[in-house]
Amino acid sequence: MSVNVEKRTEPPGEADHATRAWELKERIRSEEGVLRQRRGFFVDAYRRSTTHLLVENDEIVAFASVRRDGYVLFLAVHPDHRGRGHAERLIADVAADHRSVTCHARTTNTGALGFYEHLGFEVVRRIDDYYEDGGDAYYLKLGGESLRERLSGFVGR
């Protein structure tokens, strides 16, 4: 049985999938203690960003919301769909559309930090008390052009 993962993109101003993206984000928050944004902040940021979605059987399996400047606001992959290259594909889509790709990650989120390092993101700086709950963050930036080319291989998936 082949699995068909459909890519969808919601431009700024549209939020057809915002509720389901919120539900996925909240599942991850509940299970893993990350992605702790408040609903109002999330919905507002989602509406202002371009959101790349991967959908399987009408279920969101992954999404990335990105600002016009290439800053990744949210990146989430359903726990049951990890290890399939979905996050890499989403970051590759962002990298294909932007000259610079940046994000923040909690200093304690070893899974996210390992993922970003694997893709070639570099820590630009540490920011103490970045999150509302007092958590610290790293500001990360995707490295040079060769890494962008490496990521472009995921776009065709």
Side-chain angles (χ1 to χ4, degrees):
M1 176 172 109
S2 69
V3 176
N4 185 24
V5 176
E6 176 188 352
K7 181 182 182 291
R8 298 180 188 168
T9 303
E10 282 194 329
E14 291 187 21
D16 294 342
H17 297 89
T19 298
R20 291 190 303 158
W22 168 261
E23 291 166 356
L24 172 56
K25 183 208 76 72
E26 281 297 282
R27 175 179 175 177
I28 294 167
R29 182 198 55 77
S30 174
E31 293 177 7
E32 300 171 22
V34 296
L35 302 177
R36 300 181 194 167
Q37 298 83 12
R38 288 177 291 142
R39 186 176 181 107
F41 172 82
F42 177 86
V43 172
D44 184 54
Y46 185 103
R47 288 180 194 273
R48 293 173 183 249
S49 64
T50 297
T51 300
H52 302 273
L53 302 122
L54 298 178
V55 179
E56 180 181 312
N57 298 324
D58 207 37
E59 176 187 7
I60 295 174
V61 296
F63 73 94
S65 295
V66 60
R67 294 187 322 209
R68 287 182 290 191
D69 63 356
Y71 177 83
V72 178
L73 292 158
F74 312 113
L75 176 63
V77 178
H78 192 290
D80 296 341
H81 295 268
R82 292 185 180 158
R84 300 180 188 177
H86 294 325
E88 290 92 341
R89 180 178 176 188
L90 292 169
I91 294 296
D93 288 346
V94 173
D97 292 342
H98 299 279
R99 292 178 53 167
S100 173
V101 180
T102 58
C103 66
H104 284 92
R106 281 184 184 270
T107 58
T108 57
N109 190 344
T110 56
L113 293 170
F115 166 77
Y116 287 122
E117 180 182 354
H118 164 74
L119 292 184
F121 279 78
E122 299 167 354
V123 173
V124 174
R125 67 182 167 273
R126 179 187 174 111
I127 304 168
D128 293 333
D129 299 320
Y130 176 77
Y131 295 102
E132 279 187 354
D133 64 2
D136 302 332
Y138 290 121
Y139 178 69
L140 305 164
K141 183 174 184 176
L142 184 61
E145 283 302 312
S146 62
L147 295 167
R148 184 169 283 109
E149 290 170 10
R150 190 173 111 198
L151 283 173
S152 70
F154 290 105
V155 175
R157 285 189 178 181

